[in-house]
Amino acid sequence: MNQHWRARRQGRAQSEQVGSGAGEEIAEGHGQESSEREFFLSGAAFPAHAGPYWNKHIKCEATDPDGRRIPTRLGNGELGWNQFSGKHNVRKCALVNIPLRDKVDKLDGANLQYWGWASDRARGRVKIIVKARYARRTDDRRYDAGERQVIGVITAYCKGMRKCPNWVNE
């Protein structure tokens, strides 16, 4: 998409001249004297706040006891479902939603942390940690959920291990 910008400069030749200091302006690209300059800028126009791509579609959602609606968005490799389902082997909404339906265990501004447990009689139990952001933008402002929306779940994992055991997803 091309955008054309026109800048008019009249009677300011001396103060805005770049280079030799002569009192004349040259029309950009025309090689002739002029009191008017035209500037044409072209290229893709991106908003200044454009961050990395992430899928804002909500995969699952839960409401905590304080009434905060916390979505789990599909996201990308850095946050959301696509990040933790592969990296941490959390592949069921229930593993995320159960801790979210309980009280906030750690609060730091808009950053929330919820703790829950997955248990199996034969295999024991594992602590599930869910980190969420209850704000429109992430701390680093790279991701924006949109007007009147919240980022939601950033990550979920089993404490003390790189990947959750497969049985938690059964």
Side-chain angles (χ1 to χ4, degrees):
M1 173 188 219
N2 289 334
Q3 291 185 349
H4 299 285
W5 299 85
R6 172 177 265 193
R8 297 196 100 179
R9 309 228 191 274
Q10 295 180 1
R12 292 183 266 163
Q14 292 265 12
S15 63
E16 295 182 22
Q17 182 66 28
V18 178
S20 67
E24 63 187 38
E25 289 189 3
I26 305 297
E28 188 102 344
H30 296 289
Q32 56 185 324
E33 293 182 21
S34 173
S35 63
E36 180 178 319
R37 282 190 181 184
E38 292 184 15
F39 296 96
F40 295 101
L41 302 176
S42 65
F46 293 103
H49 58 81
Y53 171 78
W54 69 301
N55 191 334
K56 296 178 189 177
H57 177 77
I58 296 172
K59 169 98 173 144
C60 33
E61 182 174 53
T63 303
D64 75 5
D66 295 326
R68 287 182 282 249
R69 185 186 64 85
I70 311 288
T72 301
R73 298 179 188 281
L74 288 177
N76 61 16
E78 292 183 14
L79 71 141
W81 184 267
N82 289 338
Q83 185 268 340
F84 63 76
S85 66
K87 185 176 180 181
H88 300 299
N89 195 32
V90 174
R91 299 178 185 267
K92 291 189 94 174
C93 282
L95 282 174
V96 178
N97 289 347
I98 290 171
L100 289 176
R101 289 188 181 125
D102 204 358
K103 67 177 180 52
V104 175
D105 291 289
K106 191 173 179 183
L107 177 65
D108 180 20
N111 297 318
L112 313 171
Q113 204 174 106
Y114 298 87
W115 304 338
W117 296 92
S119 59
D120 181 79
R121 288 183 186 173
R123 297 179 179 120
R125 66 185 210 164
V126 175
K127 186 175 188 176
I128 307 290
I129 297 178
V130 178
K131 293 184 177 183
R133 173 90 176 149
Y134 196 70
R136 177 180 173 171
R137 293 184 180 92
T138 54
D139 278 336
D140 60 8
R141 302 183 66 80
R142 291 178 61 218
Y143 297 95
D144 187 336
E147 195 172 322
R148 294 188 307 271
Q149 298 294 316
V150 296
I151 295 290
V153 175
I154 301 288
T155 192
Y157 58 92
C158 292
K159 183 161 176 76
M161 52 190 74
R162 181 170 153 71
K163 286 188 177 257
C164 293
N166 285 330
W167 63 263
V168 300
N169 295 304
E170 294 173 358

